[in-house]
Amino acid sequence: MAERTQILAVAGARPNFMKIAPLLRELDRRPGFSFRLVHTGQHYDDAMSADFFRDLGIPEPDVNLGVGSGSHGEQTALVLRKIEQELVRNRPDAVVVVGDVNSTLAATLAAVKLHVPVAHVEAGLRSGDRTMPEEVNRLMTDTVCDWLFTTEPAAEQNLRREGVAAERIHFVGNVMIDTLLANAGRARELGVPERLGLQPRRYAAVTLHRPSNVDDPARLRDLIQALEALNERVPVVFPVHPRTAAAIEQLALPTPTTFRTLEPLGYLDFLGLVAEAQLVLTDSGGLQEETTALGVPCLTLRNSTERPITLDEGTNTLIGLDMDLLQREIDKVLSGGGKAGRIPELWDGEASKRIVDVLERDLGAGR
Ligand code: UD1
């Protein structure tokens, strides 16, 4: 039998884990492939990493680069250096990267310089805002990678505008939604709202971690005030990212918040919480898509989104920094239920299959 095609899959930070999980499962099913998993260690707390591996049944990484936190330059450079060593030691036939975190860019750069082809899953998304570190990561990764797997039609338009050849772009759907659909039943059975003393469809779930919201004390104070006001009308629950926890501590608020803060939740608990929420407030990228898939209204506390289909077809509304608009949109959701939305094309749980089909064909796996 021919040798198996060797894939190196890379994941580093929380939003990568739900994207890599269904791809690994699909690769595992195909006799033509074998894979190794590298965890860069960008996220390292159990609540940001190990809990996700457990919830999602992701195998133990073959290698953990243990890069940890640092400035953008430091973190990216350390992943680049360490993953290059790994690629030289165990040269794969292709590398698969997902999303837009610093680890995504660093792994891509290391691989392409060694002439190892790279597949980028979730390519072509553009917020148009280069002050977001993720936007720079997306642009750089897409410029040099070989396969560009997209989640929505706007991504293909962005890539074509940037001069990417049509045959490198593959519209396959959304691997994060593969994971959501595979786990939604299990997550609902956990009864997360009840465990937190909440009534299903009668609470707001919040996440905030972007530098634009949490690194500016005045902005963070405004947001906390808005959450206090919302909590007067409907209970607010807020699992707090470590970056945000540190920023709130710095504010030295005179009194503890009246709304409920929690440690970051694992994948299933968080999905269980969001699936039954009346309303989600967030600055996350992925959660805009997850709420659209679940039909839960989402108010996004950012000026732009790289995922416009969630606005055009889904349940998402962009709020930006406008606190009056936030109030008006909250009113709309609480009184009328908010945007209903529909499920975007190919967000059907089969994206990983389509991706691995393309890789199988192009790499001649199993032949
Ligand atoms: C990273 C991604 C962002 C993604 C987010 C999800 C980049 C540029 N950003 O942002 O796109 O939406 O992950 O969480 O790659 N920290 C811990 N424990 C951890 C990880 C981080 O305490 O396990 C703290 C550290 O103080 C660290 C800070 O969080 O300095 C920020 O972590 P970092 O990985 O730099 O970026 P995120 O804000 O998590």
Side-chain angles (χ1 to χ4, degrees):
M1 195 185 134
E3 267 197 22
R4 287 168 177 243
T5 299
Q6 179 73 238
I7 301 289
L8 184 82
V10 181
R14 186 170 64 176
N16 287 167
F17 304 139
M18 43 288 228
K19 296 170 193 167
I20 211 76
L23 288 164
L24 296 182
R25 195 159 305 126
E26 193 57 36
L27 285 169
D28 201 35
R29 261 194 214 122
R30 312 261 180 138
F33 283 108
S34 65
F35 68 83
R36 288 166 58 79
L37 173 62
V38 170
H39 188 329
T40 67
Q42 177 174 345
H43 283 176
Y44 44 86
D45 287 354
D46 283 352
M48 302 292 285
S49 176
D51 294 356
F52 283 73
F53 275 66
R54 195 200 49 229
D55 277 3
L56 297 170
I58 305 174
E60 270 299 301
D62 296 280
V63 188
N64 191 323
L65 304 179
V67 302
S69 302
S71 69
H72 287 277
E74 282 166 352
Q75 197 175 52
T76 310
L78 204 52
V79 176
L80 180 61
R81 182 152 72 83
K82 292 196 162 193
I83 212 160
E84 181 180 64
Q85 292 164 355
E86 169 58 26
L87 288 163
V88 169
R89 260 195 308 269
N90 291 297
R91 189 184 175 89
D93 297 299
V95 168
V96 174
V97 299
V98 295
D100 55 15
V101 302
N102 287 341
S103 300
T104 311
L105 169 62
T108 302
L109 273 180
V112 296
K113 294 250 179 166
L114 291 169
H115 309 160
V116 176
V118 175
H120 183 207
V121 175
E122 203 186 84
L125 297 180
R126 299 288 181 265
S127 67
D129 174 3
R130 290 198 188 183
T131 64
M132 285 178 75
E134 295 80 8
E135 183 74 353
V136 178
N137 294 341
R138 293 180 197 119
L139 282 160
M140 306 281 289
T141 301
D142 287 344
T143 303
V144 292
C145 73
D146 298 83
W147 295 270
L148 298 103
F149 291 109
T150 61
T151 50
E152 59 167 287
E156 171 148 12
Q157 290 160 21
N158 294 332
L159 293 169
R160 295 290 291 141
R161 207 176 38 242
E162 290 166 17
V164 178
E167 58 270 21
R168 288 168 56 208
I169 306 169
H170 307 273
F171 174 38
V172 290
N174 194 323
V175 289
M176 196 182 58
I177 304 305
D178 291 3
T179 296
L180 182 145
L181 294 175
N183 288 288
R186 225 160 40 111
R188 284 183 202 273
E189 278 166 19
L190 295 174
V192 177
E194 294 80 358
R195 269 175 22 213
L196 293 169
L198 300 162
Q199 268 182 290
R201 299 278 152 194
R202 290 283 171 276
Y203 61 90
V206 177
T207 80
L208 291 172
H209 73 280
R210 295 240 161 259
S212 56
N213 281 325
V214 308
D215 289 1
D216 170 4
R219 169 80 182 145
L220 185 56
R221 248 180 243 282
D222 281 354
L223 286 168
I224 288 176
Q225 236 171 40
L227 297 181
E228 300 274 6
L230 175 58
N231 190 55
E232 301 281 308
R233 305 172 67 185
V234 59
V236 170
V237 258
F238 182 3
V240 186
H241 184 287
R243 166 195 278 283
T244 312
I248 292 178
E249 176 133 351
Q250 286 282 313
L251 288 182
L253 298 172
T255 49
T257 56
T258 52
F259 54 84
R260 179 100 164 254
T261 57
L262 306 171
E263 294 292 313
L265 297 175
Y267 181 77
L268 289 172
D269 282 339
F270 187 66
L271 180 56
L273 182 72
V274 169
E276 295 295 341
Q278 183 173 12
L279 166 67
V280 166
L281 275 76
T282 192
D283 59 10
S284 151
L287 194 45
Q288 297 171 57
E289 297 183 334
E290 290 167 328
T291 45
T292 278
L294 291 164
V296 173
C298 178
L299 304 181
T300 296
L301 299 162
R302 288 172 39 186
N303 286 323
S304 59
T305 181
E306 61 287 339
R307 293 160 160 93
I309 203 160
T310 61
L311 302 175
D312 300 340
E313 297 186 13
T315 56
N316 190 20
T317 305
L318 213 53
I319 302 295
L321 306 179
D322 184 341
M323 298 317 253
D324 295 330
L325 177 62
L326 175 62
Q327 282 315 320
R328 289 199 298 280
E329 291 297 330
I330 286 174
D331 289 345
K332 271 196 218 164
V333 178
L334 295 187
S335 61
K339 274 168 98 168
R342 63 181 149 116
I343 309 290
E345 189 186 353
L346 299 187
W347 290 21
D348 58 359
E350 307 277 311
S352 312
K353 283 203 186 78
R354 294 185 195 102
I355 290 169
V356 179
D357 283 347
V358 172
L359 295 178
E360 202 168 62
R361 183 196 68 201
D362 290 357
L363 290 164
R367 261 187 268 137

